[in-house]
Amino acid sequence: MVSGEIAHGDDVVVFLRGLFASAGVLRPLRAAITRNRGVHAAALSYPPGPGIAELSERLRALLHTLPATARIHLVGHSLGGIVVRHFVQEIGDARVVQTISLATPFAGIPRAGWLGLAATRDLDHQSPLLRRLRLRGESSTIPHLSIIAGADSLVKSPVAHALPGGEVVIMHDRGHNTLLFDDEVARVIEGRVLARRARAATGAPPLAAE
């Protein structure tokens, strides 16, 4: 569900949660985004289990419901960050202007595949899907920001899990899930969205990174 009526040239920030999280964890970030006029929020909900490719198709279906004139920003937490990058690199939508990931393990999680779900097989550190995303990340024309939780307990060396070729912001002393409720993280995301909105309003060409 999208917040508010979308006018010509408005921005829509689409949020994707992590594997076992509930939709409620996204409320603080959605609230921070939608306090800005002309900026809307939407979220993709899904049960645990489907793999990255299937979730990317579900994301495609959601984006299909948005106006052709909308500027789209994709923000994913944990597994959601992998979905948004898979979508822009493997499927694509010309309206997407940037992707942002929060505590996303692009380098994979050891033995995650043992859990037996399609999603956890894709999250395994030996996953061919993750290897392909990392290799193609540097050549992608869609800019990416990895927001890293410096005290992430899910992965060792969290900075090593940033997407190659993208920008990195490290939030020290934050954990894997606390990024979702952190005011500074919300301000970073809000700032990236508003920066691209401002450039579009002046007619300036988009930059590879803001």
Side-chain angles (χ1 to χ4, degrees):
M1 184 175 180
V2 181
S3 58
E5 184 113 7
I6 304 173
H8 179 86
D10 277 0
D11 292 80
V12 182
V13 184
V14 181
F15 291 96
L16 285 79
R17 57 176 174 76
L19 180 58
F20 296 113
S22 66
V25 300
L26 298 171
R27 288 196 190 105
L29 293 179
R30 292 185 66 163
I33 286 296
T34 54
R35 65 190 174 194
N36 297 283
R37 185 176 180 180
V39 181
H40 308 268
L44 177 66
S45 295
Y46 47 87
I52 302 301
E54 180 179 338
L55 293 176
S56 294
E57 289 296 337
R58 295 189 188 191
L59 178 57
R60 189 217 295 257
L62 172 61
L63 299 188
H64 185 70
T65 67
L66 302 178
T69 60
R71 259 184 318 278
I72 298 173
H73 313 254
L74 302 179
V75 180
H77 174 248
S78 195
L79 173 78
I82 294 172
V83 176
V84 303
R85 282 313 296 186
H86 182 271
F87 175 81
V88 299
Q89 292 177 207
E90 302 291 332
I91 300 176
D93 187 311
R95 296 170 297 168
V96 177
V97 296
Q98 66 176 325
T99 57
I100 299 173
S101 63
L102 310 174
T104 293
F106 283 106
I109 300 172
R111 297 179 295 281
W114 290 4
L115 293 176
L117 301 174
T120 55
R121 286 195 294 271
D122 286 339
L123 282 173
D124 193 272
H125 70 297
Q126 295 182 328
S127 161
L129 181 145
L130 287 184
R131 189 178 308 117
R132 185 168 66 250
L133 286 188
R134 293 195 302 272
L135 287 173
R136 295 183 179 179
E138 295 189 39
S139 60
S140 174
T141 59
I142 304 298
H144 181 77
L145 169 66
S146 294
I147 301 180
I148 300 296
D152 198 325
S153 60
L154 183 66
V155 297
K156 294 181 179 180
S157 305
V159 176
H161 288 265
L163 183 71
E167 190 179 353
V168 180
V169 170
I170 304 172
M171 295 292 172
H172 297 285
D173 304 319
R174 274 79 151 192
H176 188 78
N177 290 323
T178 56
L179 291 185
L180 293 163
F181 308 98
D182 189 274
D183 289 341
E184 187 177 355
V185 172
R187 286 194 297 270
V188 169
I189 296 172
E190 181 183 24
R192 297 305 172 103
V193 172
L194 295 181
R196 294 193 176 274
R197 180 172 176 79
R199 289 190 65 82
T202 61
L207 298 176
E210 298 282 5

